[in-house]
Amino acid sequence: MYSEIVMEHFKNPRNVGRIEDADGIGEVGNPVCGDMMTITLKVKDDRIEDIKFETFGCGAAIAVSSMVTEMAKGKTLEEALKITNKSVAEKLEGLPKNKLHCSNLGADALHQAIMNYYERRGRRPTLRKRRREKVEPLEKPEGHCYCPYCDVELTEEAPTCTLCGKPTTHRHE
Amino acid sequence: MGTIYLDHISATPLHPEVRRAMMDYLNNGFGNPVSQHRIGDAALEALEEARAAVARLINAKPEEVVFTSGGTESINHAIKGVAFAKAKRGKHIITSNIEHNAVLKSLRMLERVGYRVTSIPVDKFGLVDPDHVKNAITHETILVSIMHANNEIGTIEPIAEIGRITRERNIPFHCDAVASAGVVPVDVKQMEVDLLSIAANQFYGPSGVGALYIRPKTEIWALLDGGMQENSHRAGTHNMLGIVGMGKAAELAREEMDQRVEHVLRLKKAFIDGLGLIDEIIVNGHPTQSLPNLASISVRYVEGEGMMLLLDEEGICVSTRSACASGSLRASHVLLSIGRDYATAQGTLLFSFGITNTLEEVERGLEALKKVVATLRNISPLYRKQKEG
């Protein structure tokens, strides 16, 4: 069900671990919803010199973490902020539909680690970009909101699930 | 290093004798058992022979056995068939919190059309307390449906005790015995059930064929309307090849049951003993009152789908009950019901053993598991946090 490249990253994940004296830390997800991802960064001259991840989650979540760290490594912070959930999923040649939320975690954790670096330095990124990307709807945003984490249809349009607080997706019948 | 199949709870391989019986039928039979000529009669003979074998497996009479397309159809038929037939008497149904989705979703469908469902909680082993069933009964209760053995944790429920309660009150009792029939003794008389669902692919028969036991005089509607097959309980031309296979499989299961139970139980014990090598593993289900062929474990701080995929790389085939591996992303309702937290439920694997497995295969399975758990815990932020206190 996974693409070859997803399986390859899952079986041989890059940049596993945790940088102890990290310059930035990003932690997203929570085990209640099934996955959790931590990214630690080392920054030199505004460039990501080293990056490592730890993930509790399925094969897709681990492959996404591996890919996002590989994409970010060596990039400037501003370049790294341009990495989106979508671009990670694309690099992995797609994910099964019910796994798209895993790709959301990857870029979110990276962006959070970068923002954490800026905060520690008391700086703001010059690039004006929302830290949290709007979640790509799985289908056209008609129909109603659905939380893939809790497997419930939400009664009203909501960007996040009323039960677990994670991003919802839209789907139609 | 060949493949080691430790997923018999999902499907069992065909027994060689079942395959032979099916090949024989494929080569020689094709008729419709409903036809009143010699070719039809030959098919009818094969059909009734299979029916008698399935009946013997569960201590029923042949005329009480209806062939279906498998466990899911049997369950849907039992629940919806009784609910519709008794709608005028009442609309209350009792079940447990750990039933299979075929039961849960059939009941959810009935709730949408006005039925009420009471779901009984289970204890930490997954056991239903028969008194809870008794106390849930109202004058509107028209059906009780409780599974025999749970397919995720293996716990075997006190069906006979529940059967006594429902029989006294004349309430139809359906038992989902898909995970247990053909594996451990199932006796519809002793269990005092009115309906019982079974499937052939749990006892070395083919997939896509099952049976529903219907006690005489049980009020039940058909799900599939059409011809007069199966005493008008189930219309449609018979899946003769599957039925012949199921009959043979039932015959073998009955004859070989004691040896089979002894064999898989030895493997299960060796497996559970060997788990001591890995820290922070929980064995799910009742320690003794459980399926002899299934070991359900929750490995803390790692997720099940990842373990299952890496085990597959090592040639070991198992099931996971991690939400990530299913269509929905919700943790298993069974594991939550027995008190596992979400994260622990996510790390659940099912190892299920069969008659062709060996102790060496179990050892290899354990070695692979140990390696895979170490690999994934090395990536897990939860495991690191736990180690750091």
Side-chain angles (χ1 to χ4, degrees):
Chain A
M1 88 180 203
Y2 288 131
S3 70
E4 258 174 54
I5 186 154
V6 171
M7 280 307 287
E8 209 277 314
H9 272 267
F10 166 59
K11 284 188 283 179
N12 308 295
R14 283 60 148 174
N15 308 310
V16 169
R18 181 181 173 87
I19 300 168
E20 283 311 326
D21 54 343
D23 299 322
I25 299 175
E27 192 171 281
V28 296
N30 81 57
V32 170
C33 286
D35 34 30
M36 187 178 160
M37 200 176 287
T38 309
I39 282 183
T40 46
L41 299 172
K42 203 77 193 150
V43 179
K44 196 176 176 191
D45 303 332
D46 271 2
R47 201 170 275 278
I48 298 177
E49 194 184 47
D50 198 9
I51 179 166
K52 289 200 185 303
F53 81 89
E54 286 180 321
T55 292
F56 166 80
C58 63
I62 290 170
V64 161
S65 321
S66 170
M67 180 57 92
V68 81
T69 56
E70 196 171 73
M71 286 166 76
K73 199 167 185 174
K75 286 210 165 72
T76 65
L77 296 173
E78 306 238 322
E79 284 166 348
L81 277 173
K82 287 180 193 158
I83 296 173
T84 63
N85 299 325
K86 203 175 157 200
S87 64
V88 177
E90 275 167 8
K91 272 266 187 191
L92 288 168
E93 288 170 10
L95 287 166
K97 202 170 154 188
N98 66 326
K99 299 283 185 172
L100 278 173
H101 73 283
C102 299
S103 68
N104 295 342
L105 282 184
D108 284 356
L110 171 68
H111 292 188
Q112 209 179 85
I114 294 171
M115 295 313 283
N116 178 254
Y117 167 79
Y118 281 130
E119 272 162 35
R120 290 179 185 205
R121 297 290 151 112
R123 281 169 50 189
R124 285 266 157 268
T126 46
L127 186 79
R128 289 195 60 215
K129 185 177 185 310
R130 281 170 54 86
R131 183 174 64 79
R132 207 169 240 287
E133 182 185 3
K134 201 162 185 289
V135 176
E136 292 289 324
L138 294 184
E139 285 154 345
K140 285 184 193 121
E142 44 198 49
H144 40 274
C145 284
Y146 166 75
C147 175
Y149 301 93
C150 304
D151 188 24
V152 291
E153 306 283 352
L154 300 176
T155 47
E156 53 198 54
E157 285 281 306
T160 56
C161 175
T162 48
L163 299 172
C164 71
K166 302 197 103 188
T168 54
T169 56
H170 296 272
R171 75 176 186 189
H172 32 204
E173 295 307 313
Chain B
M1 296 281 262
T3 300
I4 298 178
Y5 186 74
L6 301 177
D7 192 16
H8 292 79
I9 198 83
S10 295
T12 47
L14 272 190
H15 192 293
E17 284 189 46
V18 172
R19 185 183 296 113
R20 204 171 305 131
M22 291 174 75
M23 289 306 288
D24 272 355
Y25 190 81
L26 204 54
N27 290 329
N28 300 312
F30 69 93
N32 189 330
V34 173
S35 306
Q36 287 174 303
H37 46 58
R38 65 194 67 196
I39 297 291
D41 285 347
L44 183 63
E45 200 177 308
L47 173 65
E48 293 312 319
E49 196 185 310
R51 195 189 308 281
V54 171
R56 274 194 298 275
L57 178 68
I58 56 174
N59 192 27
K61 295 200 183 77
E63 60 270 25
E64 298 164 347
V65 171
V66 172
F67 283 112
T68 66
S69 65
T72 294
E73 186 193 320
S74 298
I75 290 167
N76 272 265
H77 186 177
I79 292 177
K80 295 174 188 170
V82 169
F84 293 149
K86 296 187 80 81
K88 288 210 173 90
R89 250 222 57 211
K91 290 197 163 183
H92 180 238
I93 300 171
I94 298 170
T95 189
S96 86
N97 279 354
I98 60 164
E99 299 296 311
H100 188 272
N101 271 334
V103 171
L104 290 183
K105 298 212 171 163
S106 293
L107 291 173
R108 206 174 292 170
M109 178 266 187
L110 289 172
E111 280 181 318
R112 283 205 298 270
V113 294
Y115 289 78
R116 283 186 309 113
V117 176
T118 300
S119 191
I120 308 285
V122 293
D123 70 8
K124 63 178 178 175
F125 299 122
L127 282 174
V128 174
D129 182 342
D131 279 340
H132 288 174
V133 177
K134 185 156 74 182
N135 297 337
I137 292 173
T138 72
H139 65 280
E140 285 214 348
T141 306
I142 50 160
L143 177 68
V144 174
S145 183
I146 307 280
M147 70 198 326
H148 185 209
N150 183 275
N151 56 307
E152 291 186 35
I153 58 175
T155 299
I156 295 180
E157 303 297 341
I159 294 302
E161 284 177 60
I162 299 166
R164 213 169 305 136
I165 293 164
T166 52
R167 187 63 54 86
E168 267 173 20
R169 290 160 181 77
N170 215 9
I171 296 167
F173 179 26
H174 167 247
C175 177
D176 161 12
V178 171
S180 60
V183 178
V184 293
V186 168
D187 180 331
V188 294
K189 303 260 167 4
Q190 183 261 337
M191 288 155 84
E192 299 196 53
V193 294
D194 301 280
L195 301 134
L196 182 117
S197 296
I198 76 174
N201 66 0
Q202 297 291 313
F203 50 92
Y204 308 95
S207 293
V209 60
L212 175 63
Y213 159 78
I214 305 177
R215 185 167 169 254
K217 300 204 175 91
T218 304
E219 290 174 65
I220 183 166
W221 283 10
L223 268 195
L224 297 181
D225 293 306
M228 301 282 284
Q229 290 92 347
E230 301 295 289
N231 241 336
S232 295
H233 278 307
R234 204 264 189 190
T237 305
H238 292 93
N239 164 20
M240 282 304 300
L241 188 60
I243 289 170
V244 165
M246 182 173 191
K248 190 69 190 172
E251 181 192 319
L252 293 166
R254 186 167 162 269
E255 285 168 9
E256 298 176 2
M257 189 165 290
D258 292 348
Q259 298 105 280
R260 288 184 185 181
V261 167
E262 197 187 322
H263 179 72
V264 291
L265 199 55
R266 192 165 65 233
L267 301 180
K268 176 178 167 175
K269 281 204 172 117
F271 178 78
I272 288 177
D273 289 347
L275 288 175
L277 299 167
I278 310 169
D279 63 326
E280 303 253 27
I281 286 193
I282 302 165
V283 180
N284 299 310
H286 196 279
T288 53
Q289 227 169 293
S290 71
L291 285 175
N293 60 342
L294 173 70
S296 168
I297 60 169
S298 295
V299 183
R300 301 194 67 192
Y301 315 118
V302 286
E303 189 277 333
E305 188 210 70
M307 286 192 282
M308 186 261 286
L309 291 171
L310 286 183
L311 282 169
D312 188 36
E313 290 294 315
E314 303 280 322
I316 316 287
C317 303
V318 301
S319 273
T320 172
R321 279 303 174 271
S322 131
C324 295
S326 66
S328 91
L329 297 174
R330 199 173 194 175
S332 149
H333 65 280
V334 176
L335 295 160
L336 297 180
S337 292
I338 60 168
R340 300 285 167 267
D341 60 66
Y342 280 86
T344 306
Q346 291 288 60
T348 300
L349 290 179
L350 306 186
F351 286 74
S352 46
F353 310 102
I355 50 178
T356 55
N357 287 138
T358 62
L359 275 173
E360 289 70 42
E361 289 181 327
V362 172
E363 293 296 326
R364 266 191 54 202
L366 278 165
E367 275 167 40
L369 177 66
K370 192 177 169 189
K371 181 174 156 191
V372 162
V373 170
T375 303
L376 290 175
R377 278 185 176 166
N378 186 43
I379 308 179
S380 168
L382 298 178
Y383 190 60
R384 180 180 44 76
K385 281 182 184 171
Q386 152 72 13
K387 274 193 305 187
E388 290 169 2

